[in-house]
Amino acid sequence: MDGVETAQFGAVVVLGLLVLFYGGTFLISTRIGKRKENADGYMTAGHNIGFGISAASMTATWIWASSMYASATSGYTYGISGPIHYGLWGALMILFIYPFGKRIRAVAPKAHTLAEVMYARHGRSSQLMLAGSNLVGSLISLMSNFIAGGVLISMLSPLNFIQGVFAVAAGVLLYTLWSGFRASVLTDFVQVVAMLGAVAVLVPVIFFAAGFPAAFETGAANLTAQQSDFFSSDAFMNQGAPYIAAVLAYAIGNQTIAQRLFAVRQDLIKPTFVTATVGYGAMVIGVGMLGVLALYLGFEPTGGDVNNLIPEMAADYLPPVLLAVFFLMIVGALSSTADSDLSALSSIMMADVYGQNVAGKEKANPKTMLLVGRITMVVATAAAVAFASLQLNILDLLVFVGALWGALVFPVLASFYWDKVTNKAFTTSVIAALAVFLPVRFGWIPMDGVTGIAVDVLSVIGIGVVLGLMVFGFLGLRAAKITGVLSAAVAAPFAIGSLHEYATLSGSLVAYSVSTVICWAMSAGSGERFDFTLIARRTGDFDDGDTDGTGNAGGAAAAVPRQAGEGDGEPEPAGSTK
């Protein structure tokens, strides 16, 4: 790592930069602190965040250190189309959230978590499946961001990895602990503005310092035919297609996204997510182009580890001042996601574990909820630091959690639109999807012969499900059915017989298909009809009606006794066709 060593900062400089960044964000959080904190404000900031802050927070949450590193890795591995496949599909997934988000907020305007809504819709087992997957996913994400921070600090300073992890963990906890979600979204605004400015300056500087545009002429020989092809099938099958499936699952199942959906003012959902789409795409694709540049230059990251690519490119081509800006940009990216993970974890423990399952909605004490939320942040931070030091295989864990969310996508979305989906159908379909996913993804069974064909058929159905769901959000049920059938029919001749060779892609697709088929089959013949107006009555602010001084929630937030089959009408979503 000669390039890095020549550009290393001293320990005092790095600590000064960290104090500047985290000290500044802490001061911002203290400006919004309240002497008498509100439990609902701690989780969703009163469901009334404006456009600018909510759009910036959504962008910052979607961008984390690993996404920048992964985009550059994609460019380095797959060539000129790599960053497009990573950044474009990730950006479009933000866009696809908003039509579903409008429906979710329409039936649950005052909810705090998706799992809380699933409790109101189905019951405890569906709620705990969604809440449990998010607890694991957010903890892994938190650990991953701490690892990224530790690696960055150890590469650019005399501090070691563990010291770097502790520094980042302490800094994020410092400004998130007191004001929770409100601190997260407000600091996200400052961080994303700084990150956008940094990318706009740093990427062009590195390009020109590396000899752009001449480098793209002299280095063309370093690329294979697939890497130089903008429409590379290799890039699409190994990067683009799996990411389309994975990010849709992440968008629907992840509490950090849902938390922002429940926090933004209801009439600002569309502009918020459209703006975040553009911001995410521009930043991540821009950084990813550094990987393409490294490929043309024949740049070899130390030890062949592509995670070293961006830090080493920055160290080689940036002057010390801009290298400091780069350092703060990466710290900002990982911190904006880490604080979102802490807020997500605390809201799940507050609303789903304590609020619904321990105390019960009517008896939940908002002051106790706040204590639970803050303790959760401290414990989660300590756990993430401990796991980071063990150097676990984060990729395998993330793949597992991503598959769980893939198995949840159709049951969750169907539960907001179709009044016949039952709790039994929900839980059975998710468990069955996981049971099929695991052996496919990790190669536990041979994929030749009939088994491979069966996996390919399920994967083709999964293609129809993914594309159908995307169309459904914008154009309704009839267009979704047509798209799903046509896309599966078009893909079948090309996919059957070969798709099982791509384990990551086929694993995600079978999770979608199995959960969809079973959930639909078990619900279609059900005689139950759910009244969606009950969801708004069964969810709500925990602090409402706290006029007796006991801290107990009441009023609109009070629990409504569950009555199976009560009501038989489903409010029609805009653009849907029953």
Side-chain angles (χ1 to χ4, degrees):
M1 293 169 51
D2 293 337
V4 177
E5 289 174 356
T6 58
Q8 271 191 342
F9 296 122
V12 174
V13 173
V14 167
L15 291 175
L17 290 172
L18 290 173
V19 169
L20 174 66
F21 179 83
Y22 288 120
T25 50
F26 174 71
L27 289 176
I28 292 172
S29 68
T30 59
R31 299 293 299 272
I32 59 173
K34 294 184 177 181
R35 180 170 298 179
K36 294 184 178 180
E37 185 59 84
N38 177 289
D40 299 295
Y42 197 83
M43 291 187 283
T44 55
H47 312 281
N48 199 35
I49 295 180
F51 166 69
I53 290 179
S54 58
S57 182
M58 183 65 248
T59 305
T61 297
W62 206 253
I63 297 171
W64 52 327
S66 295
S67 66
M68 291 188 175
Y69 286 13
S71 183
T73 298
S74 184
Y76 188 76
T77 305
Y78 300 112
I80 57 178
S81 65
I84 306 297
H85 280 303
Y86 190 94
L88 177 62
W89 301 124
L92 289 180
M93 288 308 103
I94 302 176
L95 183 66
F96 286 127
I97 298 171
Y98 96 75
F100 297 120
K102 292 173 67 176
R103 169 64 177 172
I104 292 169
R105 281 295 296 274
V107 300
K110 295 290 186 180
H112 308 86
T113 72
L114 275 179
E116 179 187 3
V117 182
M118 287 300 102
Y119 180 83
R121 175 66 173 87
H122 291 302
R124 184 166 285 112
S125 63
S126 299
Q127 177 202 28
L128 294 180
M129 275 189 171
L130 197 54
S133 69
N134 273 285
L135 287 174
V136 175
S138 289
L139 186 60
I140 292 172
S141 174
L142 187 64
M143 175 179 62
S144 178
N145 280 288
F146 289 168
I147 289 174
V151 170
L152 179 71
I153 290 172
S154 65
M155 289 179 67
L156 299 181
S157 78
L159 300 177
N160 61 37
F161 170 77
I162 296 298
Q163 291 170 331
V165 168
F166 270 100
V168 171
V172 173
L173 182 63
L174 175 70
Y175 72 84
T176 310
L177 183 64
W178 184 251
S179 298
F181 180 75
R182 288 186 291 106
S184 174
V185 293
L186 186 58
T187 54
D188 280 348
F189 178 81
V190 177
Q191 290 164 0
V192 81
V193 170
M195 284 190 289
L196 284 169
V199 168
V201 173
L202 297 179
V203 172
V205 168
I206 293 175
F207 261 74
F208 286 107
F212 176 83
F216 281 83
E217 298 173 3
T218 59
N222 293 325
L223 278 66
T224 65
Q226 282 286 322
Q227 289 173 331
S228 60
D229 183 4
F230 186 79
F231 299 99
S232 167
S233 59
D234 187 35
F236 180 75
M237 293 301 292
N238 288 290
Q239 175 67 67
Y243 202 56
I244 294 173
V247 178
L248 178 60
Y250 192 95
I252 299 302
N254 193 290
Q255 171 59 18
T256 61
I257 309 301
Q259 198 166 15
R260 279 145 185 81
L261 172 63
F262 289 124
V264 65
R265 215 174 73 195
Q266 202 162 340
D267 60 320
L268 296 176
I269 292 175
K270 179 178 179 179
T272 291
F273 284 92
V274 171
T275 303
T277 298
V278 177
Y280 173 90
M283 185 179 299
V284 172
I285 292 174
V287 173
M289 288 299 170
L290 293 177
V292 178
L293 175 62
L295 181 63
Y296 274 92
L297 292 172
F299 191 92
E300 291 289 341
T302 300
D305 186 355
V306 290
N307 288 326
N308 295 330
L309 194 62
I310 289 184
E312 291 185 351
M313 288 279 289
D316 272 6
Y317 295 107
L318 290 177
V321 173
L322 290 183
L323 185 60
V325 174
F326 164 82
F327 176 84
L328 292 176
M329 178 186 75
I330 300 298
V331 171
L334 64 90
S335 298
S336 65
T337 305
D339 63 34
S340 299
D341 290 323
L342 287 177
S343 297
L345 288 164
S346 65
S347 66
I348 290 171
M349 294 300 295
M350 291 168 72
D352 293 307
V353 177
Y354 171 77
Q356 294 281 14
N357 289 287
V358 176
K361 189 79 173 180
E362 290 182 309
K363 297 180 179 180
N365 187 322
K367 292 182 180 179
T368 303
M369 291 183 74
L370 281 171
L371 179 62
V372 168
R374 287 171 175 151
I375 291 175
T376 298
M377 286 193 180
V378 175
V379 172
T381 300
V385 169
F387 291 145
S389 65
L390 296 176
Q391 299 182 354
L392 300 175
N393 190 322
I394 297 171
L395 181 59
D396 285 346
L397 293 173
L398 286 174
V399 167
F400 176 80
V401 175
L404 177 57
W405 286 331
L408 284 161
V409 170
F410 181 84
V412 167
L413 290 179
S415 297
F416 283 102
Y417 292 90
W418 193 15
D419 57 3
K420 299 182 74 174
V421 178
T422 64
N423 185 49
K424 186 176 181 180
F426 187 107
T427 54
T428 303
S429 62
V430 172
I431 293 172
L434 280 177
V436 177
F437 160 78
L438 290 173
V440 173
R441 174 60 184 85
F442 296 107
W444 293 349
I445 56 177
M447 286 295 166
D448 51 358
V450 177
T451 304
I453 297 298
V455 169
D456 290 343
V457 171
L458 288 174
S459 297
V460 167
I461 296 173
I463 292 172
V465 171
V466 171
L467 296 180
L469 287 174
M470 292 177 179
V471 172
F472 171 71
F474 292 96
L475 302 178
L477 184 58
R478 183 172 301 165
K481 288 180 177 179
I482 294 172
T483 300
V485 171
L486 286 179
S487 59
V490 170
F494 305 97
I496 296 178
S498 61
L499 193 54
H500 60 270
E501 297 174 2
Y502 301 91
T504 302
L505 176 57
S506 58
S508 296
L509 291 175
V510 297
Y512 276 97
S513 62
V514 171
S515 64
T516 299
V517 170
I518 293 178
C519 186
W520 175 83
M522 294 183 65
S523 301
S526 171
E528 295 184 23
R529 309 285 285 187
F530 182 77
D531 180 3
F532 283 93
T533 62
L534 293 176
I535 293 179
R537 297 167 60 195
R538 291 171 176 167
T539 59
D541 290 341
F542 287 87
D543 284 281
D544 281 359
D546 183 18
T547 59
D548 60 359
T550 65
N552 292 332
V560 177
R562 305 185 60 80
Q563 301 177 30
E566 180 180 344
D568 62 358
E570 171 187 353
E572 278 292 297
S576 73
T577 304
K578 238 183 180 177

